[in-house]
Amino acid sequence: MTVPEHPDPSACDSGAEPKPSILRDWVIPVGVGLAIGAGLVWAWNAAGLGSPARIVRGAFMNDVEKIADRWEPFNADVEESLEEEIRALGKDARERVLQAYRGVEVTPTDPWSLLRKLWLGRILARDPYFDTASLLRICRDAEAPVWDRRAAAAVLCDVLGKDVDPTAVVDVLLAWVEDRTLFDHGQPMMRVKTLIHTKVFPPDSKPRMVAALRAIASGKGGPAAPTPDDERLLEGDRFGAILELGGVARNDEPMKQMLWDIALDESETVTARIAAVRAFSENGIFADADKWKLAAEAKAPQVRQAVGENLQHTMDATFDPVLAALHADAFELARSGSVASQVQRKRPTMLPMMDVLVEDHSVAVRIEAVNACGAFKDHDEGTTPSQRTGMLLRIVESAGDADEVSAAVCALKAVTGRAFGFADGDIDDRFGEVRPAALAAFMADPKGRADAVRQWREALPNAVWTDGDRRKAWEKLAKHADPENVARAEALLAGREPPKPAGHGNAHEHEHEHEHDEGDGHDEGDGHVHAHEK
């Protein structure tokens, strides 16, 4: 029996092809495929199997690479644990450790890849492998991948210290510093500085290093910065380069002039100008008093702050008028920094305006003023010791800021040798502060606080700072250069609650918002290879 080609005539239209349909041919199949794919991904993740790409990659890893794949940046506990696992593999794993090191590709998509590579390199160079020879060969091999060579040079400096062979590492490190496609040169400069400190760095390479730093410090010729994060990285890199050049400027007049050009240029970035001020201060370059005075009058308030804070590193009395002027600056951190510097320099220039300083809207300024009261307890300039202890007693009695009360308690202890209301050991004399638990208890005990003030008044019978004295201080404050001080004074004079200060920092934050954490910005590179780096 023959089966008809089309048993159901309705299944075709006189033999014609079905008409194309976007819904039938594309939307439905694609939608179904996406749904199935999403379901599979959900099921995979729900089962805790990790990413498919990672599973596939893991199939081709050696045992060291699999351990290193669990490394995490800035997690010392994980790092130590993984190191122990790798070392436990024994000396026979040396080749696999080397393979793992070379297998880490430093790429923009993995910003921590350089740190991972350095970590593996240090494992390779230390017990039980001690394989600095392989790293040395990589470093000397001009055909080796650039990041293999750079990481090898860094590791050799870290591990061998003053015994490192400069002929193997210096050219690699300097080429790294010269690479203007990078956003951060902290890693190579950290090693170059170590070589200089240990007297391993060849003197004839210094001009090349200075030229590379000068190029970075110029702020020209670097990579484009399409995002704010990019801009911050470049500014931080430039900050570090300018700081490094301060050491050169000690004996190089053209370099000194270049840094002064940066510091005094109102069109320059605040970060670069602060770096130049710090470069002078940290390298003892204070001969140009007139230029320091110009920097103290900069339009940018953070530059004035930098001057106020960094002049603490010289005892030259020439700078007393510069710092005294900053005590009344419109920027609160310029005021607090300059007072702190004069306390450090043992110059009581703030005492004549102490009545205004202790009424400042900024707690940072008030605390530095209180510290000065303790430091210059026997001086009569402008205000008397009795007036200043009267100010301190009012603060302990009624101030609402715990840090301010802590400073006043320490200042009163400096004056009287007694700490009423506190037990032995409650005050840390090294740092001039009350221990947190004792301070919290004191602030929470109005009766105990009042009793402590009473005992101090008995010990200081001449201490007096009247309501009339305070009102005169508010009248001066009403003419202050800082609008927030004016608003505070006007409110107090009218018997109103003063407005809360906007604030630019607190008593323990005299940092510049663009500065690196500690040091010079090139001490601790984070190993980033930014999205535009090689």
Side-chain angles (χ1 to χ4, degrees):
M1 178 177 176
T2 303
V3 178
E5 186 176 355
H6 299 291
D8 182 0
S10 67
C12 66
D13 183 11
S14 302
E17 291 289 329
K19 293 181 180 179
S21 168
I22 293 177
L23 178 64
R24 181 188 67 228
D25 298 339
W26 291 98
V27 176
I28 294 176
V30 170
V32 171
L34 289 174
I36 293 172
L40 289 173
V41 169
W42 178 86
W44 187 286
N45 290 333
L49 299 176
S51 73
R54 186 167 185 169
I55 297 294
V56 172
R57 188 173 73 249
F60 297 94
M61 289 180 175
N62 68 38
D63 50 355
V64 175
E65 290 173 312
K66 290 178 181 177
I67 295 171
D69 197 45
R70 302 187 340 250
W71 175 88
E72 298 176 10
F74 306 120
N75 190 329
D77 292 337
V78 169
E79 203 169 77
E80 183 178 350
S81 174
L82 297 180
E83 284 181 21
E84 290 178 0
E85 286 188 50
I86 293 173
R87 286 195 296 266
L89 297 174
K91 295 180 180 179
D92 292 342
R94 184 192 63 79
E95 282 293 338
R96 303 197 297 282
V97 176
L98 177 59
Q99 181 184 348
Y101 166 84
R102 304 207 73 161
V104 176
E105 184 180 358
V106 179
T107 65
T109 55
D110 184 357
W112 306 113
S113 51
L114 177 57
L115 290 185
R116 186 196 303 261
K117 198 174 192 74
L118 292 169
W119 171 69
L120 280 166
R122 286 190 286 267
I123 292 174
L124 180 66
R126 291 171 174 153
D127 186 31
Y129 307 110
F130 299 109
D131 189 9
T132 55
S134 292
L135 294 171
L136 192 60
R137 282 193 296 272
I138 293 170
C139 208
R140 292 186 183 280
D141 182 3
E143 302 301 317
V146 64
W147 286 106
D148 282 14
R149 298 186 72 204
R150 289 173 176 178
V155 170
L156 288 169
C157 290
D158 295 345
V159 174
L160 298 179
K162 62 183 179 60
D163 296 322
V164 71
D165 183 352
T167 65
V169 300
V170 168
D171 281 346
V172 177
L173 292 173
L174 290 180
W176 193 351
V177 179
E178 291 167 336
D179 187 350
R180 297 305 310 282
T181 67
L182 305 180
F183 282 71
D184 178 17
H185 297 84
Q187 289 283 354
M189 275 310 304
M190 182 165 55
R191 275 73 185 194
V192 168
K193 286 174 62 178
T194 299
L195 295 178
I196 293 172
H197 180 71
T198 55
K199 302 189 183 335
V200 174
F201 191 79
D204 58 359
S205 293
K206 182 178 178 180
R208 183 181 172 189
M209 178 200 73
V210 171
L213 288 174
R214 188 166 189 155
I216 298 170
S218 73
K220 302 172 183 176
T227 71
D229 283 345
D230 295 334
E231 291 179 6
R232 280 190 288 271
L233 282 170
L234 284 177
E235 277 296 291
D237 201 38
R238 190 182 179 202
F239 188 99
I242 291 171
L243 278 185
E244 292 299 333
L245 291 174
V248 179
R250 279 194 299 248
N251 303 301
D252 186 324
E253 285 299 321
M255 182 64 68
K256 186 192 297 185
Q257 186 56 51
M258 184 191 107
L259 295 183
W260 273 123
D261 289 345
I262 292 172
L264 299 178
D265 186 351
E266 295 289 357
S267 67
E268 264 288 4
T269 65
V270 169
T271 306
R273 299 178 71 186
I274 291 171
V277 169
R278 277 189 54 182
F280 289 130
S281 174
E282 292 175 12
N283 289 282
I285 302 173
F286 296 106
D288 302 311
D290 290 343
K291 291 179 179 176
W292 276 97
K293 183 175 183 295
L294 289 174
E297 296 168 354
K299 292 180 181 177
Q302 297 90 343
V303 177
R304 303 197 302 270
Q305 175 192 354
V307 172
E309 292 176 349
N310 281 278
L311 281 176
Q312 68 175 288
H313 296 129
T314 174
M315 297 301 291
D316 190 342
T318 303
F319 295 104
D320 282 349
V322 175
L323 288 163
L326 290 173
H327 298 340
D329 194 86
F331 187 51
E332 63 190 74
L333 295 185
R335 299 196 295 277
S336 61
S338 64
V339 172
S341 285
Q342 287 296 70
V343 171
Q344 182 73 23
R345 285 159 43 90
K346 298 179 173 56
R347 299 288 208 286
T349 54
M350 76 296 297
L351 296 186
M353 59 186 77
M354 188 59 70
D355 54 342
V356 173
L357 289 171
V358 296
E359 295 290 349
D360 202 283
H361 79 85
S362 167
V363 67
V365 176
R366 297 199 303 269
I367 286 176
E368 295 302 347
V370 166
N371 290 339
C373 289
F376 301 113
K377 59 184 180 180
D378 298 321
H379 287 252
D380 283 319
E381 292 92 331
T383 52
T384 66
S386 295
Q387 288 174 318
R388 294 194 296 274
T389 51
M391 298 174 195
L392 296 176
L393 287 170
R394 275 185 172 268
I395 292 170
V396 174
E397 187 173 41
S398 59
D401 185 272
D403 290 333
E404 186 178 2
V405 171
S406 172
V409 167
C410 292
L412 284 169
K413 183 184 178 188
V415 173
T416 65
R418 305 290 298 276
F420 298 110
F422 295 93
D424 292 342
D426 282 348
I427 296 179
D428 188 337
D429 292 321
R430 295 172 303 164
F431 298 103
E433 62 185 21
V434 180
R435 298 190 189 281
L439 180 61
F442 186 77
M443 296 294 291
D445 181 10
K447 184 176 180 300
R449 190 171 171 180
D451 190 54
V453 171
R454 178 187 57 76
Q455 293 179 76
W456 259 312
R457 288 194 186 281
E458 290 173 358
L460 297 164
N462 296 322
V464 59
W465 188 243
T466 68
D467 291 342
D469 293 330
R470 289 194 75 192
R471 188 171 186 85
K472 290 177 183 177
W474 298 340
E475 289 170 353
K476 294 179 186 178
L477 197 66
K479 301 174 183 178
H480 202 277
D482 187 337
E484 289 190 73
N485 269 339
V486 173
R488 171 181 169 82
E490 289 176 347
L492 290 169
L493 287 167
R496 301 192 311 269
E497 186 72 19
K500 291 184 179 180
H504 302 277
N506 63 39
H508 305 292
E509 294 175 338
H510 294 250
E511 309 295 336
H512 304 299
E513 59 185 85
H514 297 287
E515 281 187 30
H516 282 227
D517 28 355
E518 299 254 339
D520 58 14
H522 274 232
D523 285 345
E524 294 293 338
D526 64 7
H528 271 71
V529 178
H530 199 267
H532 304 286
E533 297 183 11
K534 290 197 242 182

